Structures are given as structure tokens and as C-alpha cells.
Amino acid sequence: MKRIAWHQYFMAQSHLLALRSTCTRLTVGATIVRDKRIIAGGYNGSIAGGDHCIDEGCYVIDNHCVRTIHAEMNALLQCAKFGVGTDEAEIYVTHFPCLQCCKAIVQAGIKTVYYAVDYKNHPYAAELFQQAEVRVEQVPFHEKILDPQNKVKSQLVLSLIEELRNKGADEELIGKYEHEYIKLFNE
């Protein structure tokens, strides 16, 4: 069996963390790594014990939800809380960091930012990363790598569609299933 690549492994961790997010506007996860070891993780959500967006709605000021702490900040604060240094570490984030998180990442000594998806990439954030010599790299995340049976499932659905076609099923129905197949398996 082929092992998952490091970038995909750490990005998968960030995507799993994002599933814990309590903000309804965007779910984000972040994983801090040093020497190929996870040292902290975070997701965007409210302060411990506070009201959550999923329960009370987002508290929006100037088009930003102020109820949440961003995933990157939560991961950095976890390191601070438990006395774990972040100098020369790397961070894997599901989305490009906002300007405030960018500044915190730089100040924490993170040397590399890996992100999966562009999201309102602020030009000044990119400039600050460059000034601080923080390497930034987009690492697209491929969810299907998490399912070792993905190819088997894909082949089964294709076989079922072909069987429907051979049995004379309505072409409109077959077209609908083929469209759903493409959406499901990104083929």
C-alpha cells in the first residue's frame, strides 16, 4: 500500500480540524508542524465556554465575525498555553491566512505556510510574508486520498451506469447519473 505524502497528511489533519469549526461563515483548520511532528492544531470557533455561531449566529462587525478566533490563532495560542515553541515550525491551513493571522504567524517565527485554498488573499499579507522571509506554498488537498476504496467505488458506479445503458434505461436518467458521478468522483 502506498503511504500518504507528508503535505497531504498534514493538510488532511487541518481539514479534520476544520470539521470542529463553530463558525457558519467558513470552516478553517490549522496544524502546526515541526520536524514532521504535529505540535498543535486549531479551528475557527468561539472562546472556550463562549457562545458559538452555530448556536447564536455570527456576530459580524465590518464584514468580519468577531465571535470567532481564527484557526491559526487557536493553534498558536495552544502552543503558548502549553509552552511549545513555534520558531522555525511550519503551519498547514485549509485557507490562505487573513492579514491578522499572517502577522501572528510571522511574529511566532513560523518559517513556512502551506495552504489549500485561496481565500481573500490580502496583498499586504503576501508582502509581509515576503518581508519576513516566510515561505508560502499552495498545497491543494485531495480528499479522495483519505478513502482507500475510492477507485473501487468509482468503478462500481461506472459499471452500474453501463448496466443501465445496456438494459435500455432512459438516456436522460443515465445522463443525470453520469453528471452525479462526475460531481462525486471529480473525474
Side-chain angles (χ1 to χ4, degrees):
M1 179 173 83
K2 186 179 174 188
R3 294 172 67 188
I4 187 173
W6 284 113
H7 284 318
Q8 292 298 304
Y9 172 73
F10 295 127
M11 199 57 79
Q13 297 295 322
S14 294
H15 278 79
L16 285 172
L17 284 161
L19 294 175
R20 291 285 305 156
S21 174
T22 61
C23 187
T24 56
R25 293 173 52 132
L26 183 68
T27 59
V28 179
T31 304
I32 300 176
V33 175
R34 188 178 37 244
D35 299 324
K36 301 215 183 315
R37 300 289 182 261
I38 296 170
I39 60 174
Y43 54 87
N44 58 329
S46 302
I47 62 168
D51 293 331
H52 296 285
C53 298
I54 56 175
D55 299 323
E56 303 294 327
C58 290
Y59 185 3
V60 178
I61 298 175
D62 294 330
N63 205 31
H64 295 284
C65 179
V66 296
R67 190 183 305 281
T68 62
I69 301 170
H70 289 187
E72 302 93 325
M73 290 299 291
N74 267 328
L76 290 168
L77 291 168
Q78 186 180 73
C79 287
K81 184 175 183 176
F82 296 108
V84 177
T86 55
D87 198 39
E88 299 297 308
E90 303 169 323
I91 190 166
Y92 287 79
V93 191
T94 57
H95 297 75
F96 189 86
C98 74
L99 185 54
Q100 298 305 318
C101 288
C102 160
K103 292 189 280 187
I105 289 167
V106 168
Q107 287 300 96
I110 302 283
K111 67 177 181 177
T112 308
V113 175
Y114 297 105
Y115 70 98
V117 177
D118 287 315
Y119 181 75
K120 298 181 181 179
N121 300 29
H122 198 287
Y124 189 54
E127 184 181 325
L128 289 175
F129 282 141
Q130 187 176 22
Q131 283 178 15
E133 297 180 359
V134 172
R135 191 167 146 249
V136 178
E137 182 181 333
Q138 187 172 18
V139 177
F141 178 63
H142 309 290
E143 290 180 17
K144 56 185 166 185
I145 66 162
L146 296 177
D147 182 3
Q149 296 298 312
N150 186 64
K151 278 193 173 184
V152 173
K153 292 174 186 176
S154 171
Q155 288 301 322
L156 174 65
V157 173
L158 282 176
S159 296
L160 291 171
I161 291 171
E162 189 58 31
E163 189 172 330
L164 282 172
R165 182 171 277 118
N166 291 339
K167 293 194 183 248
D170 179 59
E171 279 300 317
E172 188 175 323
L173 178 66
I174 291 172
K176 177 183 152 197
Y177 287 136
E178 287 175 332
H179 180 72
E180 290 300 315
Y181 169 84
I182 291 167
K183 285 190 341 192
L184 187 62
F185 292 101
N186 263 341
E187 300 279 325

